[in-house]
Amino acid sequence: MHKRCPCGDVMLMKLRTVIYSGKVEIDNVPIYSCQSCNRSEVFPEVKPDLTGLIGKLGNRPEKQTYLFNEWNEWADLLVEAYHDRKLSDPDALKRRTEERIDMLLALYAIAQSAGDNAWMADLHKRLIQLSRT
Ligand SMILES: [Zn+2]
């Protein structure tokens, strides 16, 4: 869970709070951060959901706090793994991702048989987020 920084050092994965417009706190955003030059980058896999969330907030948002992991399945898995201190183990994360996909597919079958279109759409969105990684 790291990448090379332009300065030559290694960027590590961290969960950070992003402040938008000085008012909105978005917690648990996965970013890469470099200890040498302090450069940081939002994880490419979660960027579409972060920009989507910011787009929804508009130009003059109210003071509020979001948990980004409630918006993005992958961030949610990272938060779980982070709390278990298993982030350094890529196999554990991969296993969790697979388990989560299985669970979502099982729920999707239930939503489908219940004819719940809104639920199906929500589950579909979550599955797409996980398949991006
Ligand atoms: Zn750097």
Side-chain angles (χ1 to χ4, degrees):
M1 301 304 285
H2 54 77
K3 69 177 275 188
R4 183 71 60 186
C5 179
C7 81
D9 208 339
V10 169
M11 298 177 98
L12 297 172
M13 192 339 266
K14 284 188 178 151
L15 293 164
R16 276 276 171 83
T17 299
V18 172
I19 312 278
Y20 171 65
S21 249
K23 283 188 176 168
V24 182
E25 281 186 25
I26 306 170
D27 288 336
N28 291 333
V29 178
I31 60 152
Y32 282 119
S33 127
C34 175
Q35 285 170 316
S36 299
C37 69
N38 279 326
R39 184 190 165 88
S40 63
E41 279 175 26
V42 174
F43 250 51
E45 287 85 356
V46 306
K47 223 179 235 177
D49 289 315
L50 185 62
T51 50
L53 175 57
I54 285 169
K56 270 189 199 140
L57 295 170
N59 292 329
R60 307 177 78 182
E62 310 254 310
K63 195 172 165 61
Q64 58 201 302
T65 306
Y66 281 98
L67 291 173
F68 185 65
N69 53 303
E70 288 179 356
W71 288 76
N72 182 280
E73 278 306 297
W74 202 62
D76 202 33
L77 283 171
L78 286 176
V79 170
E80 276 183 19
Y82 193 74
H83 289 310
D84 291 354
R85 304 191 188 286
K86 281 180 184 161
L87 211 53
S88 54
D89 179 358
D91 288 341
L93 187 62
K94 199 165 168 254
R95 221 164 31 239
R96 267 168 193 280
T97 308
E98 279 162 10
E99 282 169 13
R100 181 70 67 107
I101 288 171
D102 286 346
M103 188 196 79
L104 289 171
L105 286 172
L107 287 175
Y108 192 84
I110 296 168
Q112 209 165 17
S113 62
D116 189 333
N117 287 329
W119 191 15
M120 280 164 67
D122 179 59
L123 291 166
H124 186 243
K125 194 187 79 189
R126 288 165 187 272
L127 281 162
I128 286 173
Q129 289 174 346
L130 286 178
S131 65
R132 273 207 294 263
T133 59

